[in-house]
Amino acid sequence: MTENDFEKIGQDILEVIQKSKNILLHLHPSPDPDSVGSALVMAEVLKGLGKEVVIIAGDSPLPMSLSFLPNFNWIKDEGWTDLDLNDFDLLIAQDSGSLEMVSREINIKENSDLKIVVIDHHATNTLYGDINLVVEAPATTQVLFKLISLWGVEISQTIAVNMFVGLYADTGGFKYDYTQPETLAIAGQLIAKNHEALKTVRTMQMQNTPKSLDYKMLAYKNINICAGGRAAVSAISFGDLEDKKINTEDTESVSLGNDLLSVAQWQVIATLVEKKSGEIKVSLRSKNGELYNVAEIAQIFGGGGHKAAAGAKLEVSLEEALEKVIMAIENIF
Ligand SMILES: [Mn+2]
């Protein structure tokens, strides 16, 4: 996207916001720090513009492992069916590459005439909004930094923290290849605004529960090595999660993908987690997305994401999912 296009779309979004009174924000299913950070940043900006704002947790429970973020209590523990979409003038859908990433429970377009503004950084974004600001950036909070700078909004101390955690998390702590010089420049400005942002990311990395380690143990116990030892797929069954009484709060702080990718020989890894019986969440990671593009694999299963990090959902048995994912991975080697 050219600078001109960015400015044009950015101004269009501001105009729509100015015309709206009640604005709805949401977290995407299995919300990550970029989703939560983006929602809290946008909410603060909108409140500053005198708007009524509601943030709902959406499909997933409130991500309590991020409850230390400033203004976290603004997020209502409500799903999409708990509210009347007609009460709102505008939905700003952030960090969500498709309607399914906004909600898998309802189809927002079929259930309302709500105007939708999309602000996102996923290359596979389906442009489902009335206005779409989809920018190649490592995190939605990076897009927001540019956007609110364009609007002339000052970065507050709380905005700085919520933006920083989004940048930090989506770049794996500024390690992933798609981290841009601009990402670090923005991170520097955020730290200059509020040095506490560093403490916040440390806090973020210490949110395991004792059962988080049981969860990791299950992942490590159920590894299938494939592609001649260059890839690995871990599969965790619903039964095992039930037996160990592992809940969302135990899993949301754990990045199995990063743990498995720490094995030097494995170029690609996948984790299959049977969240409910017959419903498999597939996460894929690649050490080198140019060489082994896992977004292509995710797309086979109706998912999406980035070349080095992608995901999908399968509604089959765990055994069948495992077989299919292994086959798809072996095909790209
Ligand atoms: Mn993101």
Side-chain angles (χ1 to χ4, degrees):
M1 178 179 291
T2 66
E3 286 300 313
N4 271 345
D5 288 347
F6 185 92
E7 285 178 18
K8 166 93 183 52
I9 298 171
Q11 286 301 343
D12 288 349
I13 293 175
L14 184 57
E15 269 171 41
V16 173
I17 287 171
Q18 278 162 344
K19 282 182 200 150
S20 308
K21 251 170 75 183
N22 296 308
I23 302 175
L24 179 61
L25 302 174
H26 69 99
L27 308 182
H28 63 56
S30 309
D32 55 19
D34 194 31
S35 172
V36 178
S38 299
L40 293 175
V41 167
M42 182 54 84
E44 190 173 336
V45 173
L46 296 174
K47 283 172 189 251
L49 293 170
K51 304 300 167 186
E52 294 293 325
V53 186
V54 171
I55 313 174
I56 57 163
D59 284 6
S60 296
L62 269 181
M64 291 313 290
S65 66
L66 296 169
S67 59
F68 54 86
L69 290 177
N71 302 326
F72 183 86
N73 60 358
W74 288 355
I75 306 170
K76 289 189 173 177
D77 191 10
E78 286 185 2
W80 287 95
T81 50
D82 296 332
L83 40 92
D84 186 351
L85 293 179
N86 296 315
D87 289 345
F88 299 92
D89 313 308
L90 179 66
L91 165 67
I92 304 182
Q94 303 189 113
D95 200 39
S96 301
S98 63
L99 272 180
E100 294 71 43
M101 271 305 281
V102 178
S103 174
R104 299 189 172 114
E105 279 170 11
I106 68 160
N107 182 320
I108 290 124
K109 280 198 163 173
E110 281 173 12
N111 280 275
S112 75
D113 299 321
L114 203 53
K115 207 173 188 62
I116 304 175
V117 163
V118 171
I119 299 174
D120 188 30
H121 69 113
H122 295 97
T124 52
N125 193 292
T126 58
L127 309 178
Y128 54 95
D130 298 286
I131 306 178
N132 300 285
L133 184 66
V134 179
V135 179
E136 203 182 317
T140 298
T141 58
Q142 181 170 324
V143 182
L144 283 180
F145 181 90
K146 274 190 76 175
L147 184 63
I148 72 173
S149 302
L150 173 76
W151 294 348
V153 173
E154 208 208 321
I155 306 287
S156 69
Q157 296 215 331
T158 44
I159 286 181
V161 170
N162 285 323
M163 277 189 168
F164 191 81
V165 296
L167 290 185
Y168 186 92
D170 269 23
T171 58
F174 306 108
K175 288 194 298 284
Y176 298 153
D177 281 339
Y178 53 70
T179 306
Q180 300 160 339
E182 195 187 352
T183 315
L184 292 159
I186 291 170
Q189 291 184 58
L190 298 174
I191 295 301
K193 181 54 84 174
N194 187 355
H195 201 257
E196 286 283 302
L198 292 173
K199 190 179 163 199
T200 310
V201 292
R202 285 201 304 282
T203 305
M204 191 163 75
Q205 290 187 318
M206 292 181 224
Q207 294 299 315
N208 281 339
T209 63
K211 280 190 194 158
S212 301
L213 304 186
D214 285 339
Y215 182 59
K216 287 188 183 209
M217 216 137 60
L218 283 178
Y220 297 163
K221 258 174 46 189
N222 295 292
I223 288 173
N224 303 267
I225 297 173
C226 59
R230 289 179 297 165
V233 182
S234 174
I236 300 178
S237 72
F238 181 62
D240 278 345
L241 290 174
E242 272 201 324
D243 281 350
K244 295 266 181 201
K245 298 192 169 53
I246 295 168
N247 300 314
T248 316
E249 70 205 53
D250 307 308
T251 62
E252 65 189 16
S253 61
V254 177
S255 174
L256 294 178
N258 290 334
D259 289 351
L260 296 182
L261 218 49
S262 69
V263 175
Q265 292 91 330
W266 296 346
Q267 300 302 313
V268 169
I269 67 89
T271 57
L272 276 53
V273 181
E274 191 175 19
K275 296 256 160 178
K276 291 180 216 164
S277 188
E279 189 181 306
I280 322 289
K281 188 175 177 237
V282 182
S283 295
L284 295 141
R285 295 283 183 279
S286 172
K287 278 206 178 84
N288 182 340
E290 296 302 325
L291 217 52
Y292 306 109
N293 180 350
V294 290
E296 279 177 13
I297 297 175
Q299 278 161 15
I300 296 173
F301 303 116
H306 306 280
K307 288 175 184 171
K313 197 178 83 178
L314 285 176
E315 283 176 354
V316 295
S317 70
L318 188 60
E319 292 71 28
E320 195 178 337
L322 183 61
E323 198 179 307
K324 283 183 168 165
V325 170
I326 287 176
M327 203 143 56
I329 288 176
E330 292 195 319
N331 273 334
I332 66 166
F333 276 86

